[in-house]
Amino acid sequence: MANIIISYHASVTAHDSLQHLLRFTKSALALGHTVSGIFLYQDAVFHASSHFSLPSDELQVTDIWQSLADLGIKLTLCVTAAEKRGVDITRCEPFEVAGLAEFAMDASKADKWVQIK
């Protein structure tokens, strides 16, 4: 089975993209693949911000990310993209902070790189 790494680029308001990411990840795991990590890049780093809250009748973004972390998937955000957008990288659980070079090293170890925008 394949070792998959995912880069996610969609903003917090792109609920369809986030639901696609969740379905893809769960399907890949169910088929026996490994998802070694999800890397947030560009506007996707806003998902790690602790400064937004959504009404209870909207998609609960933080719950989705926590459910992926609970599956043992490494969640990482790009430090440069986060700093450019004012995301507080000291308060971004369940995400880890890394550079693009670290993502490139992780991607080189994966069989497949899936990009979701």
Side-chain angles (χ1 to χ4, degrees):
M1 293 293 141
N3 176 18
I4 301 167
I5 192 158
I6 301 169
S7 61
Y8 186 68
H9 302 251
S11 72
V12 176
T13 58
H15 292 173
D16 288 345
S17 292
L18 185 57
Q19 289 175 325
H20 175 73
L21 170 73
L22 182 62
R23 284 191 309 272
F24 175 83
T25 303
K26 287 186 173 184
S27 295
L29 293 172
L31 290 170
H33 300 292
T34 302
V35 178
S36 58
I38 300 172
F39 184 76
L40 275 60
Y41 192 55
Q42 297 171 328
D43 282 346
V45 298
F46 285 119
H47 287 264
S49 176
S50 59
H51 299 292
F52 77 89
S53 62
L54 298 170
S56 61
D57 64 338
E58 288 192 28
L59 184 66
Q60 295 304 301
V61 173
T62 53
D63 292 346
I64 290 174
W65 289 114
Q66 187 60 55
S67 73
L68 291 167
D70 291 345
L71 292 172
I73 298 170
K74 178 181 167 185
L75 303 176
T76 311
L77 70 134
C78 179
V79 64
T80 304
E83 288 177 343
K84 283 182 180 179
R85 290 162 175 82
V87 174
D88 182 0
I89 60 171
T90 63
R91 299 178 55 213
C92 59
E93 290 80 23
F95 299 93
E96 299 175 19
V97 178
L100 195 54
E102 290 174 71
F103 171 70
M105 289 181 355
D106 289 344
S108 72
K109 298 173 193 168
D111 300 311
K112 304 270 185 209
W113 170 14
V114 176
Q115 187 176 39
I116 299 175
K117 293 186 175 189

